[in-house]
Amino acid sequence: MTHAARAFWTALVVVAVAPALLAAEPKTQTEHMVVFMGDAKIGDGVEERTVTDEAITHSSVTNLTINRGQVAVSVATETETVETPAGEPVSFRHKAILGILGQMGKSGVFRDGKLHLTEQGFGGGQTQVVDVPAGLLMPEAVRRLRVEKGFAPGTTYKYLAFHPEEPSGAAVTVEVVGPERVELMGRHERLHRLTESATVGGNTMPGTTYVDDQGRVRKTTSSLMGTTLAIIAADAEAAARPDEPFDLLEIGTVPSPNPIPNARQTTTARFILRPTERGGKLAIPSTDSQVATPGPGGSVVVSVKLVANAKGTRPYAGEGVALVADDLAALQPSEFIQSNEPAIRTQARQIVGDQSDALAAARAIETWVANHVSDQTLSAGYASALETLTTGAGDCTEHSVLVAALCRAAGIPCRIVNGVAYTDQFETQRQRFIGHQWNQVLVGDKWVDIDAALGTDASRITLLVGAERPVDFLGMLQTLGKFDIVQARAR
């Protein structure tokens, strides 16, 4: 499975749980919906809104199906939010089952300005108490805000929406476009068109939302990997129609304009990326091993040169007398990178011993992980470092989170890198760039690429740096699928 496939399924979960399709009255109401990718119906769902004297509850169940080649993979989500009659947040629970990738879940209670959060991720769990941002709105409060602001064309406003995948919420910017007659699965309604941009976990997802006079959402559209995702209110009959094949491989990989001989041994490369949309702009990062510069017609020239002969010692003590915030963040444990766990710390000591050279220690960890993760299975999902240490199973994502945890435990700043890497053959496709995940470690003042899954080479393009949670991948999905590679040279 490519990293892009995991990110795409996670993004479907992130986007699909966002709408609230239910109206204000009566006390209990049920609404069905259908989910489309492009022209293919890939899923359906049902939502309920229940009003009592004590609370207003929104609950939803969504079922999706995506094909990966000839294999159909299911995605299911269940979400419930509870608000007071005044629209204040009370609690939530959220569960996502990503087919063979496994299950993740979250629940929380809002109390005294804090969110008491319990998380069960892919292969690990934790509890914590986090601050609740001021003005955080759940679905009922958002519906009321829409009605309060009104639907006059040109009206703009912002709010902070609750989202189960991001405790700090989604920052939403809204502009009212105006009334529009919209087809909803064979019937038409006069709705208000809103242009909305939601920033979740530092990544912005633009989209269009259609609401009625009561502020309830009737249709949403957004773009993922260059394809339109639409969620549409429907009757039960339309929702029950069979899902249609939608092959993720068609949009999750990028054709190479030519073969790259000995790709895994390359140290330098030059790529030219061209946006597939007219007037489109590509956001390609530059790192110590990759320089992205604008080219003609919106293209981007990406020059890759692996960092050589970096010098530095561990444990990291900062550049000069100052500790750099970003570098320190790459030393800290996180939800999937449990570098503070005793088993991780013990394994790191066994691998690096008293080796003080940071790059030599990182290479030793890279080699150990490459050998340890010997069960190249898809069933591990986005497993945590601790689970991967235990099972020795997974693919590029499991390799990278375990490398990151061991490096951090050894005092070497290490971050996750996402992008595409060249392969001569991927299932039935030839000469493709596929979604991939690897690492960069800080050695001296340089971030050096290491890759326990494929080995380190220059036949790759970095699209995102620093993503550690599934929600972080949304940024990459705003770029992948929106460019062609028109030149690929590596040696």
Side-chain angles (χ1 to χ4, degrees):
M1 175 178 299
T2 68
H3 171 67
R6 298 171 188 265
F8 184 79
W9 286 322
T10 301
L12 284 178
V13 173
V14 170
V15 175
V17 299
L21 297 171
L22 298 171
E25 299 295 342
K27 287 190 175 181
T28 299
Q29 182 182 2
T30 300
E31 182 78 79
H32 295 272
M33 59 184 175
V34 294
V35 184
F36 283 89
M37 281 299 299
D39 295 328
K41 176 184 179 294
I42 65 167
D44 61 86
V46 61
E47 300 196 359
E48 283 191 350
R49 176 184 181 274
T50 303
V51 180
T52 68
D53 292 339
E54 293 78 24
I56 301 174
T57 302
H58 287 264
S59 60
S60 65
V61 177
T62 306
N63 295 285
L64 310 173
T65 302
I66 294 290
N67 282 26
R68 178 181 176 268
Q70 300 300 312
V71 179
V73 179
S74 62
V75 179
T77 66
E78 299 177 10
T79 304
E80 178 186 88
T81 61
V82 181
E83 301 167 69
T84 68
E88 296 295 325
V90 174
S91 65
F92 84 94
R93 61 178 180 84
H94 171 62
K95 180 172 68 174
I97 304 171
L98 307 186
I100 59 175
L101 302 185
Q103 177 176 310
M104 62 178 180
K106 295 187 179 184
S107 62
V109 176
F110 297 86
R111 186 168 59 245
D112 301 325
K114 304 286 186 180
L115 172 60
H116 299 256
L117 180 66
T118 300
E119 299 179 275
Q120 186 64 44
F122 298 115
Q126 63 178 359
T127 59
Q128 59 180 316
V129 178
V130 299
D131 292 328
V132 177
L136 185 69
L137 304 181
M138 281 186 156
E140 181 68 17
V142 172
R143 184 195 66 79
R144 294 177 182 180
L145 178 66
R146 293 191 184 107
V147 175
E148 175 188 336
K149 294 295 184 180
F151 303 110
T155 299
T156 61
Y157 54 95
K158 298 180 181 180
Y159 64 90
L160 189 64
F162 166 79
H163 200 291
E165 294 300 328
E166 180 52 73
S168 62
V172 182
T173 301
V174 182
E175 180 177 1
V176 179
V177 178
E180 192 170 311
R181 189 169 181 264
V182 180
E183 182 181 359
L184 302 177
M185 303 303 297
R187 66 187 191 278
H188 290 81
E189 292 185 14
R190 182 183 180 278
L191 303 174
H192 305 283
R193 179 175 178 174
L194 313 178
T195 298
E196 295 192 332
S197 179
T199 300
V200 184
N203 301 295
T204 299
M205 295 282 292
T208 301
T209 302
Y210 298 89
V211 304
D212 64 12
D213 292 339
Q214 288 75 46
R216 61 174 183 166
V217 177
R218 308 297 288 156
K219 178 180 179 179
T220 67
T221 62
S222 55
S223 178
L224 287 177
M225 297 171 71
T227 303
T228 299
L229 169 66
I231 304 174
I232 306 171
D235 57 30
E237 181 181 357
R241 293 174 187 169
D243 291 344
E244 300 165 327
F246 180 82
D247 193 349
L248 185 59
L249 296 185
E250 294 299 321
I251 63 171
T253 63
V254 186
S256 177
N258 51 262
I260 298 179
N262 302 313
R264 300 285 77 86
Q265 283 74 53
T266 57
T267 58
T268 62
R270 184 176 187 271
F271 308 102
I272 298 179
L273 280 55
R274 182 177 59 196
T276 54
E277 299 176 358
R278 185 173 183 178
K281 295 183 179 180
L282 302 177
I284 309 298
S286 290
T287 68
D288 287 329
S289 57
Q290 173 175 295
V291 177
T293 56
S299 65
V300 176
V301 179
V302 179
S303 299
V304 180
K305 183 177 181 180
L306 298 183
V307 176
N309 302 318
K311 300 294 183 181
T313 59
R314 70 170 190 92
Y316 176 75
E319 291 303 307
V321 295
L323 296 176
V324 181
D326 288 346
D327 302 345
L328 286 178
L331 276 172
Q332 301 303 312
S334 63
E335 180 180 356
F336 295 94
I337 302 174
Q338 306 106 321
S339 54
N340 57 340
E341 287 287 338
I344 296 286
R345 299 177 68 86
T346 298
Q347 189 61 63
R349 286 194 298 270
Q350 291 178 357
I351 296 170
V352 304
D354 58 0
Q355 174 63 257
S356 61
D357 184 281
L359 184 55
R363 293 295 186 199
I365 290 171
E366 176 188 38
T367 300
W368 187 88
V369 172
N371 293 325
H372 178 71
V373 186
S374 57
D375 182 4
Q376 302 296 314
T377 178
L378 306 181
S379 61
Y382 197 100
S384 70
L386 191 59
E387 183 183 22
T388 305
L389 178 65
T390 301
T391 65
D395 59 13
C396 65
T397 53
E398 284 68 47
H399 284 80
S400 62
V401 295
L402 183 54
V403 165
L406 292 169
C407 283
R408 293 179 187 186
I412 307 168
C414 184
R415 62 193 187 187
I416 300 289
V417 180
N418 303 277
V420 292
Y422 176 83
T423 181
D424 285 321
Q425 182 81 38
F426 180 67
E427 295 200 355
T428 60
Q429 301 179 348
R430 293 182 56 81
Q431 298 172 16
R432 313 286 291 193
F433 284 82
I434 64 172
H436 187 51
Q437 181 167 303
W438 64 100
N439 301 91
Q440 289 179 344
V441 292
L442 185 64
V443 179
D445 62 350
K446 298 292 185 182
W447 287 98
V448 181
D449 294 79
I450 61 174
D451 187 342
L454 290 181
T456 308
D457 60 74
S459 298
R460 62 187 65 206
I461 301 169
T462 299
L463 300 178
L464 182 65
V465 175
E468 297 187 7
R469 306 167 301 162
V471 72
D472 297 332
F473 303 141
L474 290 175
M476 187 180 76
L477 297 180
Q478 293 303 297
T479 302
L480 188 60
K482 293 188 175 182
F483 65 86
D484 293 324
I485 299 175
V486 297
Q487 184 184 101
R489 298 176 181 172
R491 59 183 178 86

